[in-house]
Amino acid sequence: MDKVNYQVMLDEIIRDIPDKETPRLLMHSCCAPCSSYCLSYLAEYFSITVLYYNPNISPEDEYYKRIKEQARLVDVLPVKNKISFAEGEYEPLEFFKMAEGMEDMPEGGARCFKCYEMRQRKAAEYALAHGFDYFTTTLSVSPHKNAQVLNETGLRLEKEYGVKYLVSDFKKKGGYQKSIQYSREYNLYRQDYCGCIFSKKEREQEKTARILEQH
């Protein structure tokens, strides 16, 4: 099966927006660095509200450090259309319940796909409840995230909730590199693991392995 070019699809959606219309977009964000490029790009065409819903993040102080950075970026990023910010609930127990039985799976597999869906579903629910035209997520900007799975999940939720999912592969057009540039420009806190305790453990094991190789 041929891979879908979601960036081309996004370009077509943007091109078809009628003149003088600014659709409302609910954008789930995983963190400030990843959202930086996505916001600067799409705020040219959409009125965006950032939804920060990430129950996967541990420990608690890490969660609040990241949400503080997200709110700061929304305040300082210069964009055509003003960006709003919505803080979701911090529900780590819901994440651990979802991950039960998948704790030892490697990053990038079934546990991560379930985590994508958990966060995208919350975005779909919020978008429906507040009358948004579209919902989407910043997750596809990361080279470590599976854009195919993200978009297939989003389109499935579109059918379930009746709110259009804005397809994306934000890493295209140098999006990931641009997010790094924005992080430097705005001195954003960049974490070295995805967010959950399982990814943190895997990252620490990788660091330990590299240290041992050097000795």
Side-chain angles (χ1 to χ4, degrees):
M1 185 177 178
D2 294 336
K3 288 188 73 173
V4 178
N5 191 324
Y6 291 104
Q7 179 60 52
V8 169
M9 291 177 66
L10 175 57
D11 288 340
E12 291 173 353
I13 292 169
I14 290 172
R15 189 189 63 223
D16 291 341
I17 295 174
D19 290 343
K20 298 183 180 179
E21 282 194 17
T22 309
R24 296 181 68 219
L25 170 65
L26 191 282
M27 178 182 284
H28 162 264
S29 175
C30 56
C31 64
C34 284
S35 73
S36 59
Y37 165 71
C38 307
L39 291 170
S40 65
Y41 170 31
L42 291 184
E44 285 290 309
Y45 314 102
F46 297 89
S47 173
I48 302 175
T49 293
V50 173
L51 175 65
Y52 192 87
Y53 175 73
N54 297 291
N56 56 308
I57 296 176
S58 292
E60 188 174 350
D61 61 345
E62 177 74 16
Y63 173 86
Y64 286 108
K65 184 184 292 186
R66 295 191 194 191
I67 198 169
K68 183 178 178 181
E69 280 295 85
Q70 182 67 76
R72 180 171 73 86
L73 178 67
V74 167
D75 283 341
V76 301
L77 191 68
V79 288
K80 178 181 176 182
N81 294 304
K82 186 178 182 298
I83 303 167
S84 301
F85 180 66
E87 179 178 348
E89 291 184 58
Y90 182 42
E91 302 174 315
L93 292 180
E94 293 300 312
F95 169 75
F96 288 119
K97 188 188 302 181
M98 179 279 297
E100 192 171 354
M102 298 185 285
E103 293 87 349
D104 295 327
M105 287 184 174
E107 283 293 288
R111 186 186 67 241
C112 293
F113 298 163
K114 285 288 188 181
C115 186
Y116 297 172
E117 180 174 355
M118 184 180 190
R119 291 181 280 171
Q120 286 174 285
R121 180 174 294 280
K122 185 65 71 172
E125 290 172 354
Y126 191 99
L128 176 61
H130 294 85
F132 284 85
D133 299 301
Y134 293 90
F135 73 101
T136 194
T137 179
T138 63
L139 287 166
S140 71
V141 78
S142 169
H144 304 295
K145 301 293 187 293
N146 189 314
Q148 187 82 16
V149 173
L150 284 164
N151 284 287
E152 288 173 356
T153 302
L155 290 169
R156 176 162 46 80
L157 292 169
E158 172 184 305
K159 292 179 181 177
E160 187 175 338
Y161 287 89
V163 182
K164 287 182 284 188
Y165 181 73
L166 190 68
V167 296
S168 72
D169 192 352
F170 291 123
K171 69 179 72 65
K172 302 287 189 181
K173 294 187 174 181
Y176 179 66
Q177 288 75 19
K178 289 173 184 174
S179 74
I180 294 173
Q181 292 170 11
Y182 278 113
S183 295
R184 290 174 181 150
E185 182 178 350
Y186 293 99
N187 194 30
L188 298 175
Y189 165 65
R190 287 185 69 86
Q191 59 283 349
D192 66 352
Y193 68 102
C194 177
C196 72
I197 60 170
F198 312 118
S199 63
K200 190 177 194 321
K201 179 181 177 182
E202 191 168 308
R203 187 70 69 247
E204 288 171 349
Q205 289 173 340
E206 291 171 358
K207 288 180 181 178
T208 300
R210 284 198 295 270
I211 293 171
L212 292 174
E213 286 175 2
Q214 293 169 2
H215 292 80

